[in-house]
Structures are given as structure tokens and as C-alpha cells.
Amino acid sequence: MEQAVSAPLCTRTLADLGARVIKIENPAGGDFARDYDDVVHGMAAHFVWLNRGKESVTLNLKSPQGLEILHRLLAEADAFVTNLAPGATARLGLDAESLERVHPRLVTCEISGYGSGGPLSGKRAYDLLAQAESGACSITGLPGAPAKPGPPMADACTGLYGAISILATLHARGRTGQGAKIGVSLFDTMTELMGYALTWSNYTGEDQEPVGMGSPSVAPYGSYPTSDGQVVVLGTTNDREWQRLATELLERDDLAADERYRDGPGRVAHRTELDQVIGDWCSRHPLAHIQKAADAAGIGNARYNTTTEVVAHPHLAARDRWREVGSPAGPVRTLLAPPVISGYDPALGPIPALGEHTGTVLRDLGLDEASIDSLRTEGAIGPAPIGPA
């Protein structure tokens, strides 16, 4: 029972690994991410990204019949994932404690904004809200101009923590025979990802300042315009790399010998002047020359790309990372999940229409056509979808 990003990415990760994922949706519109936009042949980009390989079943959980069907599904399920509004599962009697009494082998994973037991536990939380509350926006952007990190980091990483926890608890259940109750919150996930910055502030008593395309803890490390209108990103993470950048890339032995830049804290303190020197050098050379020289010197480097440039990225094409999956609107392009597992071909099922699999799943539960038609008439499930039943 999922909406938006966090839980759908959790369950899509499991689907990619071969799990059968049944997505329970409200007959009145389903997952609201279905309607975020219509850029993918009439479908929303978020929904296309997050919902391949799932079966959509519409259930009206405010009806006794709909709730009874859900419990029949849970009796056979391994895991139950939710990310509804605070208190929603408890009002339906579907909170982890209630389900543990009825389905003791079930693993429940409830994704929330702030977890339980704190002053914010009852608040709604979306990705931006969790990123702001956790301090992530304060170290992103530039001083006086905070920004939200572009990808939905709170949602996405919370979903991945959920998937990891489900796999671990299912492994343990194989030994104990008992299910488990998992709670993962966006706020706890983001404070974990903020671990370095929070540790730094905890021991300095100071706020870290954002540095745009750079790192507050490492210098030189940033983006620099090139002579051919591109942007190169160069990074050093230790003293040896700095020495190679200064002597082999910039051909500035004087910088390598300068005591001000001898160690990391010194280079961070003099970030502005180092960026000026590197920026001047990059502005006199084209991107290809800079990257070839940086590779030869063992200096990490990258090209700054926009999203349309990444869509056409030759590295993705060469490694066959783009695939096609089915959808109600025909084939659509999708990226493979990151793990490359020997001997395993990722399961890439189609993106479901709302309620597309309701009939199939109910028949799997033993219901006949007359019973299914009666449930539709009573409003316990949604209307028959157009297309596959």
C-alpha cells in the first residue's frame, strides 16, 4: 500500500530482484504519483520510474469486503510495505502490532516521515520537508542560497533501507519462523546521510557552509569552465593527489612546495585562491585535453552533464543499461537497477494500469467470476480495467 516514491522504490527494488509485488491501490485514482505529469505517452515520469514489474489491484479498504480480501492476501504474503499518512494504517487495523497478532510470519515495513515516539511523529513529511528538517538543504547550494539536492534523496534512500531491511528479516525468518516489524523514516534516513556534516558540527559547534559544486571538507574539488565552453569537474581527496595535480597537471612545482597547501585543512582554508589558479588553467584548455591529462596524472575528473546529455550518455549505451518494458501506453525506456549480479537477468516486468491485475489476483485467491462481479457492484474493488483483466 504505497504512494509517491519511497515505498514504491522499495518494492520496485524487490520486484527487480524477482519478488512478486502486488500493489494495492485505491479505486478512486490509485497511487497519486500516477497523475504527477503526463510526459511518458500520457503517463507520469515518477510512476514509470518506480512501478515496473508490479501487479495493480484496486481495493476499497473502507469496505469490509475489501479489507477481508487484503487479509487473505497478507495470509500468503512474505512482506507488507506501507507509506501512508501518519495513523492511516492504525485506523484500518493494519498497523504492525495488529498485523503481528493475525499474521505472525509476516514482515511489515512501515515507511514514515519521522518515525514513532517523537514530537514530529504525527506530521506529514515529503522529500523536501525531510531534507530541510535534517539540514541537507543547508549544506547544498551556496552561502545564503540553500537548495534541495536534485534527486529525491530522502525518499529514495529510505526506500532502499526498507528493501535491505526486508531482505535481512526474511533471511532471519528462515531460521526463526517469525516475522518482524520494520520502521524506516525519511528523517532518520536523512540524518544518517548527513552523518559527516553532523559529526563535524557536533565537534566544532559550527554550521558547515555549502560550496556549490564542491565539498566543504576537501579542496581543490570543484567545477571549472574550459576553453571550449564545457565544464570539467576535478577532485583531489588526499595529499598525494594534490601533489600530482599541482606538478603533473598544472606544472606548478611552486604550488606543490607551498606550505599553505601542504595538507587538507590548509587547502580548504585557501580554497578560493586554489580554485582561481585551477580555473585559470582550465579556461586555457579544451575539455578533452584536460581529461586526458588528468587521467594520465591519476586525478579524478568528470564532465558536467545535463539530464538530456545523460540520456544519450555513451557509457550507458555501451553497457546496455537502457531497456524497454511494457506499459498501458506501449513500450517505454527504463534504466536497469544498479546491481549487476552474475547469473541473474533482472526481472523487468511491465508498468501496470490501475487495477489491471485485480481479477487475476482475486482468481488466484479462489474467487469465481460471480463473486468478483459482486465485489465490483458493492464497490469493494474498482471497475474492470480497459485491457488485460
Side-chain angles (χ1 to χ4, degrees):
M1 289 168 49
E2 58 183 21
Q3 305 274 12
V5 175
S6 56
L9 183 55
C10 170
T11 58
R12 199 215 74 184
T13 299
L14 299 174
D16 286 344
L17 293 171
R20 183 184 185 186
V21 176
I22 297 174
K23 184 181 180 78
I24 304 300
E25 300 192 71
N26 188 325
D31 182 343
F32 54 71
R34 286 182 177 272
D35 300 316
Y36 277 172
D37 55 57
D38 59 1
V39 300
V40 187
H41 309 313
M43 300 177 293
H46 274 87
F47 194 84
V48 168
W49 166 39
L50 295 164
N51 288 282
R52 67 185 180 219
K54 303 180 185 181
E55 301 173 42
S56 173
V57 171
T58 51
L59 288 181
N60 176 4
L61 297 179
K62 294 182 179 179
S63 75
Q65 301 97 324
L67 200 57
E68 191 270 336
I69 291 170
L70 179 62
H71 276 286
R72 290 178 65 174
L73 288 170
L74 293 177
E76 300 183 10
D78 290 303
F80 180 48
V81 181
T82 63
N83 70 329
L84 306 185
T89 54
R91 289 191 293 272
L92 292 167
L94 298 172
D95 55 285
E97 288 73 20
S98 299
L99 290 176
E100 184 180 37
R101 292 191 291 270
V102 182
H103 307 289
R105 283 180 51 82
L106 184 69
V107 169
T108 57
C109 178
E110 185 158 5
I111 293 174
S112 65
Y114 295 101
S116 61
L120 302 182
S121 295
K123 290 177 69 68
R124 286 180 177 268
Y126 305 125
D127 181 82
L128 171 60
L129 308 182
Q131 296 217 41
E133 194 77 41
S134 68
C137 296
S138 75
I139 62 168
T140 308
L142 294 167
K148 184 189 91 66
M153 301 299 295
D155 277 336
C157 293
T158 302
L160 294 175
Y161 271 116
I164 292 168
S165 301
I166 289 168
L167 295 174
T169 51
L170 287 176
H171 182 70
R173 192 186 69 177
R175 298 191 303 272
T176 67
Q178 293 296 310
K181 303 187 294 292
I182 301 167
V184 191
S185 78
L186 275 65
F187 182 71
D188 289 345
T189 295
M190 284 310 302
T191 52
E192 164 65 13
L193 297 182
M194 288 286 290
Y196 156 70
L198 296 182
T199 301
W200 192 90
S201 292
N202 205 5
Y203 285 89
T204 65
E206 300 175 1
D207 292 324
Q208 281 201 327
E209 288 282 346
V211 292
M213 282 187 61
S215 168
S217 62
V218 180
Y221 194 36
S223 59
Y224 309 96
T226 67
S227 66
D228 55 346
Q230 305 293 316
V231 176
V232 68
V233 181
L234 298 172
T236 61
T237 58
N238 57 60
D239 297 340
R240 294 184 304 279
E241 289 182 351
W242 157 246
Q243 290 289 317
R244 293 200 302 272
L245 186 146
T247 59
E248 299 179 34
L249 197 65
L250 303 180
E251 297 180 335
R252 290 285 304 272
D253 292 352
D254 60 313
L255 294 177
D258 195 317
E259 280 297 308
R260 293 175 299 171
Y261 314 136
R262 180 178 58 82
D263 58 19
R267 293 191 294 276
V268 168
H270 296 90
R271 178 195 310 277
T272 301
E273 56 204 62
L274 286 177
D275 280 343
Q276 181 67 51
V277 171
I278 298 169
D280 288 345
W281 183 85
C282 289
S283 70
R284 301 194 299 271
H285 300 284
L287 176 70
H289 171 84
I290 295 169
Q291 290 199 282
K292 182 178 180 180
D295 286 340
I299 301 301
N301 65 91
R303 179 181 188 265
Y304 165 79
N305 288 312
T306 65
T307 52
T308 53
E309 290 168 332
V310 177
V311 167
H313 204 296
H315 196 68
L316 293 175
R319 298 171 64 241
D320 194 25
R321 298 296 295 170
W322 286 105
R323 301 293 177 87
E324 282 193 344
V325 298
S327 83
V332 297
R333 294 181 82 202
T334 187
L335 278 170
L336 289 173
V340 178
I341 303 172
S342 63
Y344 179 73
D345 191 20
L348 294 177
I351 297 152
L354 178 61
E356 178 179 343
H357 303 90
T358 304
T360 300
V361 171
L362 295 185
R363 285 189 286 272
D364 287 349
L365 288 176
L367 278 70
D368 59 24
E369 295 303 323
S371 299
I372 294 172
D373 289 341
S374 176
L375 289 170
R376 294 195 196 282
T377 301
E378 295 167 357
I381 62 177
I386 298 173

